[in-house]
Amino acid sequence: MATVTRADLTDAVHRETGLPRRDAAELVEMAIEAIAERLSAGETVMISGFGTFRVRDKRAREGRNPRTGEPAPIPARRVVAFRPSEVLKMWIAEGRADTGSET
């Protein structure tokens, strides 16, 4: 299973745009920070053709320690949920590797 890192994103931006790696890294960081800032403010972030990120509030609940089976409280928390767009679902279903526009 492959993981896409910030370095991978930086390399992709560098290759696709021809920007110097340092500028590409700054661009990736700015995009991640913008998304994180919006989410931390409780806003929904929609990236057209990719999907929607939103913050959900999860209530406190009782869980179980899987090792001992004893009850364990799980505190209320905020989590980020992602819903893929129909375009992304189609790309995944078709096994497409490219995500660029067709020219």
Side-chain angles (χ1 to χ4, degrees), residues 7-83:
D8 295 331
L9 293 174
T10 297
D11 288 343
V13 170
H14 167 70
R15 276 193 316 274
E16 294 293 323
T17 66
L19 285 172
R21 285 193 192 281
R22 184 178 198 166
D23 292 344
E26 285 181 30
L27 184 64
V28 168
E29 284 302 316
M30 287 174 19
I32 291 171
E33 285 176 15
I35 292 169
E37 285 173 7
R38 298 292 183 153
L39 289 170
S40 66
E43 297 179 36
T44 296
V45 176
M46 185 178 85
I47 301 174
S48 183
F50 184 69
T52 303
F53 296 90
R54 74 174 24 108
V55 176
R56 290 184 40 211
D57 291 316
K58 296 191 91 174
R59 63 179 175 78
R61 61 187 174 90
E62 192 72 29
R64 293 216 173 265
N65 180 329
R67 191 173 306 183
T68 64
E70 292 182 24
I74 299 172
R77 63 199 187 281
R78 296 176 79 195
V79 298
V80 175
F82 176 73
R83 180 180 172 128

